Every structure is written in structure tokens, then in C-alpha cells.
Amino acid sequence: MKLEEIHDQAVWDAFVASQRWASFQQSWNWGEFQKTQGHLVKRFFFEDGAAQYIYYKKRFSGYWFCPRGPVGTVDLVGGQSILPLRPRPLFYRFEPPVTSGHRMPSNARRTHAMSPAATILMDLTKSEDELLAAMHSKTRYNIRVAQK
């Protein structure tokens, strides 16, 4: 397996931007933000994709998380995206995009997602009334209840 740790932002962001199912959570800047929160971040290129890992420290150990990744055609079943990263994790966590076509290992468990499954882009130049008018009636109702 060809494996290379990446330290060049331009190379990383160019690859991620070229991928069909890429997410901002695999961008260089997201990793840098995670570093400001005290997390360790590592980025790797594989033969057929890339993955940005973020280490989340827990009480006695921690885990490596690959949000909305790996990127590309990395085969999670083959195990090439699971690296002997240090510090040694209790487990690895992946959240590949549902539409990406990644195959998951048979011993993998689906848990609650840390990242939202979908996001909506809104034009915030509209007035509050226009934004509310575009929402579902139950959403408008819940907003009004929350305001009380």
C-alpha cells in the first residue's frame, strides 16, 4: 500500500476539491481549526484516495475520527484507511458520505452521526419574514414557540 503523509495545504486542498463527494470537513482549514481546539490532526494520501484524521482524547484513551471521509475511492473493507496512528486509539471512526459508494467492513457498526447528514444553503440577504415564509409551517410554529 502506497501511503504518504501530507504537509502541503495547496496539494491537499486541490485533491479534496477535485473529488465528487468531498466535504469541507476534509479540507485543510477544517483540520487547522481542529488544531486550535487542541486536537491532533494527520492527513494521508493512499493509492486511491485521502483521509484527514482528527484525534479526540477521552479519559483513558481516545479515537481517530475521519469526518466525511475518506475522500476518493478508498476501500474501507480492505483496511488501507486504518493506519497504525499514534497515539494508539481505542477505535477508529469513519463517516463516509452515504452517496460516496464506500464499502464498510462487516465488523463495523453504524452509530449516531457526529456530522449532519445534509446541510442547506440559505440566502441570508433575505428579510426574516421572507426566510420564515420559505420554511415549513411546523418549523415556523416551532420557532415562534421557542421565542416565547
Side-chain angles (χ1 to χ4, degrees):
M1 169 179 75
K2 182 181 175 187
L3 178 68
E4 178 184 0
E5 187 169 0
I6 300 301
H7 301 285
D8 184 350
Q9 179 177 359
V11 171
W12 182 265
D13 281 341
F15 176 79
V16 171
S18 72
Q19 300 302 306
R20 183 174 180 193
W21 303 111
S23 166
F24 79 92
Q25 292 174 316
Q26 284 292 312
S27 71
W28 188 275
N29 288 335
W30 182 252
E32 294 304 302
F33 169 74
Q34 291 295 323
K35 286 181 182 180
T36 68
Q37 303 303 302
H39 302 294
L40 182 61
V41 176
K42 301 236 180 213
R43 300 169 184 94
F44 293 95
F45 276 147
F46 303 100
E47 292 174 11
D48 52 358
Q52 175 170 256
Y53 294 93
I54 302 164
Y55 187 73
Y56 287 89
K57 179 88 172 108
K58 295 298 178 188
R59 188 171 183 181
F60 297 109
S61 183
Y63 65 95
W64 286 99
F65 177 46
C66 186
R68 290 292 184 254
V71 178
T73 57
V74 176
D75 185 5
L76 294 172
V77 175
Q80 69 183 24
S81 58
I82 298 178
L83 308 171
L85 294 172
R86 297 285 183 248
R88 188 172 173 183
L90 189 60
F91 59 90
Y92 290 86
R93 182 177 190 138
F94 298 93
E95 276 188 0
V98 175
T99 53
S100 67
H102 288 302
R103 293 184 315 136
M104 296 299 286
S106 60
N107 63 347
R109 269 187 352 175
R110 178 75 178 151
T111 62
H112 73 280
M114 290 178 68
S115 307
T119 57
I120 299 172
L121 297 177
M122 295 180 66
D123 180 6
L124 297 179
T125 60
K126 294 180 179 179
S127 70
E128 185 177 330
D129 291 334
E130 290 175 312
L131 290 173
L132 286 170
M135 294 180 188
H136 190 272
S137 61
K138 184 66 174 175
T139 304
R140 287 192 299 272
Y141 171 79
N142 288 335
I143 289 171
R144 290 185 186 111
V145 168
Q147 287 174 336
K148 291 179 183 179

